[in-house]
Amino acid sequence: MTKPIIVGSVAYDPKIVTIWDIIRDYFNEKGVRLDYILFSNYEAQIEYLLSGKIDIAWNTNVAWVRTYELSNHKAQALVMRDTDIDFKSVFISKTKSGIKSIQDLKGKKFGLGSADSAQAAILPLKYLQNELGESIKDVEIIRYNSDLGKHGDTGRSEFDVLEDIKNDKLDAGAIGISTWVRILEESLFSDGEIESFYTSEGYCHCNFTALDSLDKSIKKRFVEVLLSQDPNDPIIKKMMQMEGLNRWVLTTKEELKGYDVLTEAMKEQDLIKNNW
C-alpha cells in the first residue's frame, strides 16, 4: 500500500474536520492517498514538519516565516488561497473619536490582538513604529492575547479589541482586513459607529509548506490535485466557502515577496524562535 501524504492543519474551529474530510476524500478519489493530522497550535505543527513527521503543513504567514528561517531556507511554499494575497491590517476607532491618522494616537490607548497574529499585532506594531519612531512611547499599547497558538486564525482577539473600542476602554486598535470586511457586510456594529483611519500595504497570509527534502513527485502531485478542484462543484464549493477562498493559486516568487515585511517585523521583534 502506498504511503499517504500526511498534511498538518491547526484545528482552530470544529469546521476544520469537515474541510479536511472533503479535501482528503477528493485526493483519494483522484487516486492520491492523503490523510491529515490536526494540531492545537502552529508551534507543534512547525516542529512536526521540521522533524519530518508530516509531509506538508497548512501554515499561517507567521508559521511559514518561522519554518523558512528555522530550516535555513530549506522550505518551499507550494499553494495558497487567492484570499491570502494582498491581505491587510486595518486600524479602527469610534467615528466620534477624532482620530484620523496614526499621529493622532499619541496619548491614546491602542489595542493589539494576540502577540502571534501577523495582522492584529506583529505588523500593526511595526507600522506604528515606522510612523511614530520614538514617539510610540506616547501610545499606551494594550495587548489582547486571546488566541495564542492560533496565530490570529480565529480572530477572537480582534473582536476583543473591537468590543473594548465599542465600550470606550480603548481609543483605537488593529484588526485584519477579513474581520473588517465581515463587520461591514454583516453590520455587526451600529452603522457608522466605527471607522477605519489606516489601511496597510498588502502582504501574504497562509500557504501549504513543504521542506525541500520532500520528494519532488509528491509535491508536484499534491499541487496538481489541489489546483484541479472545481469551485463550481457543490462539495468543493462548500469546502472553499468554509475555508475562505475562491480558488487555490500557486505560490510564486511574486507572492513570496508578500512575506518580506512580516519576516522583517518578526526579526525586529525577536519572534523567529518556535517556542512550544
Side-chain angles (χ1 to χ4, degrees), residues 3-272:
K3 179 182 175 298
I5 302 172
I6 302 298
V7 181
S9 181
V10 170
Y12 66 86
D13 187 285
K15 69 182 180 181
I16 296 303
V17 172
T18 303
I19 289 170
W20 276 97
D21 277 354
I22 291 173
I23 295 175
R24 179 200 58 199
D25 292 348
Y26 182 85
F27 271 75
N28 291 344
E29 288 166 7
K30 296 293 181 184
V32 178
R33 291 194 68 214
L34 180 143
D35 209 344
Y36 63 91
I37 294 177
L38 297 181
F39 296 87
S40 65
N41 62 84
Y42 282 97
E43 284 67 34
Q45 180 170 283
I46 292 167
E47 186 172 302
Y48 269 59
L49 180 63
L50 291 174
S51 63
K53 293 176 181 173
I54 58 175
D55 298 312
I56 295 169
W58 180 223
N59 273 338
T60 60
N61 43 11
V62 171
W64 155 251
V65 170
R66 280 190 183 146
T67 302
Y68 188 66
E69 295 297 324
L70 294 174
S71 68
N72 295 318
H73 301 179
K74 293 178 179 177
Q76 182 181 1
L78 303 175
V79 178
M80 57 206 306
R81 303 171 295 194
D82 59 337
T83 48
D84 287 315
I85 302 169
D86 203 28
F87 203 88
K88 295 172 182 173
S89 293
V90 180
F91 291 2
I92 43 110
S93 65
K94 273 192 169 176
T95 304
K96 66 180 183 182
S97 71
I99 297 172
K100 301 298 179 188
S101 72
I102 291 178
Q103 291 293 336
D104 293 334
L105 292 174
K106 295 173 188 173
K108 307 288 187 182
K109 291 182 179 179
F110 189 84
L112 292 178
S114 295
D116 55 13
S117 168
Q119 70 265 21
I122 300 170
L123 287 171
L125 181 59
K126 179 173 181 57
Y127 301 139
L128 290 177
Q129 290 169 329
N130 289 350
E131 175 73 21
L132 295 172
E134 287 294 316
S135 295
I136 195 172
K137 65 180 185 301
D138 297 328
V139 181
E140 184 177 355
I141 303 290
I142 310 293
R143 295 277 189 170
Y144 291 76
N145 290 322
S146 325
D147 297 320
L148 288 176
K150 305 294 192 301
H151 294 191
D153 249 349
T154 67
R156 179 182 155 196
S157 66
E158 298 174 43
F159 278 93
D160 288 345
V161 168
L162 277 160
E163 278 300 312
D164 276 0
I165 291 173
K166 183 180 178 183
N167 296 324
D168 295 322
K169 294 179 181 176
L170 286 175
D171 296 298
I175 59 175
I177 187 73
S178 58
T179 300
W180 179 237
V181 169
R182 183 181 165 194
I183 289 167
L184 297 178
E185 290 181 346
E186 299 181 14
S187 301
L188 297 180
F189 290 87
S190 302
D191 190 31
E193 181 183 15
I194 290 174
E195 66 178 5
S196 67
F197 61 91
Y198 171 83
T199 301
S200 74
E201 295 292 320
Y203 51 87
C204 281
H205 214 282
C206 304
N207 70 59
F208 282 105
T209 308
L211 296 182
D212 290 353
S213 55
L214 182 64
D215 191 296
K216 288 182 181 177
S217 64
I218 295 176
K219 284 186 279 193
K220 182 173 182 290
R221 191 65 180 134
F222 176 81
V223 169
E224 285 175 348
V225 175
L226 200 63
L227 293 181
S228 74
Q229 291 185 329
D230 181 0
N232 296 313
D233 178 291
I235 299 298
I236 297 301
K237 184 177 181 179
K238 174 185 173 183
M239 178 275 292
M240 287 185 170
Q241 286 176 337
M242 286 192 292
E243 185 55 35
L245 72 153
N246 303 297
R247 61 189 176 91
W248 298 108
V249 296
L250 280 175
T251 309
T252 70
K253 289 182 179 178
E254 189 61 31
E255 281 74 45
L256 288 175
K257 294 176 185 174
Y259 295 106
D260 288 350
V261 64
L262 179 60
T263 303
E264 187 179 333
M266 289 176 65
K267 288 181 177 178
E268 290 172 355
Q269 297 172 32
D270 193 23
L271 294 173
I272 297 297

